[in-house]
Amino acid sequence: MLSSDEFEGRAPGSVGEQKTIALLTERFARAGLKPGNGQNWLQKVPLVSIEAGKISALTISGGKTPLSFEYGQDMVIGTYREAPTIDIANSDVVFVGYGINAPEKGWNDYAGLDVKGKTVIILVNDPDYDSPDLNGDFGGKAMTYYGRWTYKYEEAARQGAAAALIVHDTVPAAYGWGVVESSWTGPQFFAQSADKGASETRANGWIQKEAAEKLLASAGQDLAALSAAAKRKGFKPVPLGVKASVSFANAIDTTMSNNIIGILPGAKRPDEYVLYTAHWDHLGRCKPADDGDDICNGAVDNATGTAALVALAEAFSKAGAPDRSVVFLAVTAEESGLLGSSYYGENPIYPLAQTVGGINMDAFLMAGPSRNVTVVGQGKSELDDYLDAALKSVGRVAQPDSMPQNGYYYRSDHFSLAKQGVPMLYIDGGDDLLEGGKAAGEAAAKDYTVNRYHGPKDEYNPDWNWSGVMQDLSLYYSIGRSLAMSTAWPNWVEGDEFRAIRDKSREGK
């Protein structure tokens, strides 16, 4: 039901959201949960919707050849500012490598150049993303937060840039141009801010790699050569001697979206909480497929995880209340930058110091049962011990993320709670399938990413094989039940980036 056309792709603030709220609150109540925010099932999340329209071509002047790049085909662009129009006129263009300013690493791609009012061209991912191992200034092939597009826009804004364009390259981005195009067209949601986005860049977006190559060539530079130079510490930004112009109008609307929360109160220690999270939202209407279908239904991403919240609530209620309370949190606006989970993390209904830990569920592939699971962020917290015990009991094994360069640890809602100190597990289904082994698992993942991810064909299929999903859900239930019956307080491991904030929050508890 969540991924039916009737729900119109579950965009925040839409009719689809209201239908999602009605369905989930009814199913949570039927499962035996209580409203999770006092007498209310909802936590209001204030958002602003900004949709760019009347978008001009991105023109480049002052180089060897005048250039014009078309919206959608060559670039996508928008703004975080609540401004009726954006007009970037004759802005100096600067190549800033990976756009990273990391004082703790002695790395600053903006060193020595004031980019205020300028347009910066930024490479996606980290400088060492193509490393064969995890050794390097930025974790080798494992993407850090510095590699995420969200960080790059944040840093460009801190530096005073007028516009920021990330060069799209499929391998380091971990998805094709079609994903960028579908995700950046239509209304874009952001957290409401007191300054209405005035501290942000005036424009930000993506540019196709081929278009970026032409831009740099017109400036007498070579993208490949500059990209290689940007991998080395001490890289300095390169003024390109060309100017960029682009303009667009904005349709602006404020909306109140909602996180949906249910709780099963604990029998002995109800003021201690175990958390399950999943995002209910998807992209709404998006770029049409060849057959005209323009609803991004989000069946796998993430109607599966949302439905899993209901299934787990039913299982917990049927088994009887555990010692600790269990919270089931369906968050909004994950696709817009983890906005719903970030809002909960900053405005928690239940004290984070009293939240034992949690499990995030995002996109179950219907590939069938597997011998393993993939742990995104393996080795970061003592929750791994609970996972290992649950796996051992059913003869399965854990493996680390085989594609750490894709930065999945920073791309789903567990990150919003982790950065507030709450230990969170994020587990993907295994790739070593009982039928077909790793070759079949890799093929299933590739098929989804290429043909359905963030597109109109991520739809429910009545022929789906649910056995692998149910195998994983049983695992998630076992871990959560163990946590909810325990008196232990698992922490991040010594030296982890989130350990200090957890220790501080737990002081005196």
Side-chain angles (χ1 to χ4, degrees), residues 43-47 145 150 154 190-191 259 275 277 279 281 329-349 352 410-420:
Q43 178 188 39
K44 294 187 179 302
V45 180
L47 302 176
Y145 189 58
T150 47
E154 291 166 3
F190 311 101
N259 292 330
L275 183 62
T277 60
H279 73 90
D281 67 294
L329 174 62
V331 296
T332 184
E334 187 270 355
E335 301 290 5
S336 301
L338 316 182
L339 302 183
S341 58
S342 292
Y343 189 83
Y344 182 89
E346 295 165 6
N347 305 274
I349 302 300
L352 300 186
Y410 307 97
R411 289 170 57 179
S412 195
D413 294 301
H414 60 281
F415 176 56
S416 298
L417 281 300
K419 68 183 181 182
Q420 300 292 342

Side-chain angles (χ1 to χ4, degrees), residues 26 45 148 217 243 303 362 376 469:
E26 189 273 331
V45 180
R148 290 287 290 145
K243 296 182 182 292
D362 192 352
V376 180
V469 174

Side-chain angles (χ1 to χ4, degrees), residues 165-181:
L165 294 172
I166 297 174
V167 179
H168 176 266
D169 190 352
T170 297
V171 172
Y175 37 73
W177 180 253
V179 172
V180 175
E181 189 176 3

